[in-house]
Amino acid sequence: MIKTFILKIINGKWSAPFFITSISIFCWFWLWILPVTKTIWNICFIIPIGTGLVYILLGISKIFKKNYREGFIQILLSIIFTFIAAVFFTILTPKSPYKEYKGDIVNPNNVKVNMPLDFKGLDEKPLVEVKGEDIILYNYQQPGHYKYEVFLNKIEKGKVYLKFFDLTTNRILSAKQVEKDSRLEVENPADELKEFESDKVFTVEEGDWGNYYGSRVEVWFRPEDSSMPERKLLVKNYIIQGN
């Protein structure tokens, strides 16, 4: 009898928003109480999203059972409330996963280093004054995730991509993944600065949340003309953390 009652609630078309909302609120407040580590952050994010996916699958199963109306309603409600939950955990987070930088990294040769800029909203960038060719690195959503934009003068058609190196050991970081996800098509026939912005998010895996270290970021260019060699365009040092 109890089992039947529970299954009836779970399979009810109006239970999806109730359960997804309840679990999302619980996980959201959980972040107020617990220290923000990568594991806790991922658990709190995955549980409500996972709950939404379960309800979507239940809705699909109802459609296969020819209960079309109820199945479509459940799928629609599940998608809507799962999206709302995702927004809460990406924009309205109770605690930022970013720990304040204390300036305590090893800095060989005392080189100049820069901090990545933070997005104000999901895709709202801060205003930056750029006076010459430059690369601007942005933190994106959680530690170790980055986007970037590059400003270039006259350049032929081709692709740019990034390489990250540890400032202390000179070890290349997440080489294949960073190169793949940071590729960006460029072409600027005019002799003036032009902005090129990446759409993809790329991840530096080395390190962990809050473990800041210096990185040399290099911008490389691969001409469309395959007979021409690749060349390094820019170098800039940033303080980063891994994922």
Side-chain angles (χ1 to χ4, degrees), residues 28-29 31-32 41 84-96 120-122:
W28 195 77
F29 277 107
L31 287 176
W32 280 101
W41 184 272
I84 293 172
V87 169
F88 262 82
F89 281 91
T90 53
I91 297 178
L92 303 174
T93 51
K95 282 183 184 177
S96 171
K120 296 177 182 177
L122 194 59

Side-chain angles (χ1 to χ4, degrees), residues 7-18:
L7 288 174
K8 187 174 180 180
I9 292 176
I10 291 175
N11 286 314
K13 60 184 176 182
W14 303 111
S15 63
F18 171 76

